[in-house]
Amino acid sequence: MYLSKEYKTGIFAEFAGSATNTGSAEGQVALFTKRIAHLTEHLKSNRKDFATQRSLQKLVGKRRALLKYLFHKDITRYRAIIKALGLRDIIK
């Protein structure tokens, strides 16, 4: 499985501050970004997999909502996670 417990723990440790802080917005955004990258690679070779396409769109929407929350809550945390993950600044 591409998202093993150890892999998730590493993501949360890197972006959320600690491995047990799984509810932080930064950790969730990082996890969604890794899942989005994995589903995008899958869709490159399976372009007619519409169930995966729908789940990818839902993940992108969830990540966007969390980024919007961070933008309004604390702009410095928002800018830090955008820079760390290499995402575009989509919220104006």
Side-chain angles (χ1 to χ4, degrees):
M1 184 174 176
Y2 75 100
L3 284 175
S4 65
K5 184 175 181 178
E6 295 80 22
Y7 185 73
K8 286 183 188 181
T9 304
I11 289 174
F12 286 119
E14 182 179 352
F15 293 102
S18 74
T20 59
N21 192 6
T22 59
S24 72
E26 293 92 343
Q28 291 294 320
V29 168
L31 185 63
F32 287 161
T33 302
K34 301 295 183 184
R35 289 177 63 193
I36 288 169
H38 183 276
L39 291 178
T40 303
E41 288 301 317
H42 172 77
L43 282 173
K44 286 181 182 177
S45 60
N46 302 292
R47 61 184 181 88
K48 292 189 176 185
D49 188 355
F50 298 114
T52 301
Q53 187 175 2
R54 178 164 164 39
S55 60
L56 175 64
Q57 290 171 345
K58 288 178 76 76
L59 273 177
V60 170
K62 285 181 179 182
R63 181 179 71 181
R64 185 180 176 102
L66 274 175
L67 286 172
K68 189 174 183 179
Y69 165 78
L70 268 178
F71 181 80
H72 293 295
K73 184 78 172 170
D74 189 1
I75 192 76
T76 56
R77 287 171 51 195
Y78 170 78
R79 289 187 179 141
I81 194 69
I82 290 291
K83 187 176 181 182
L85 293 174
L87 299 174
R88 290 184 300 166
D89 188 8
I90 56 174
I91 299 173
K92 302 295 179 207

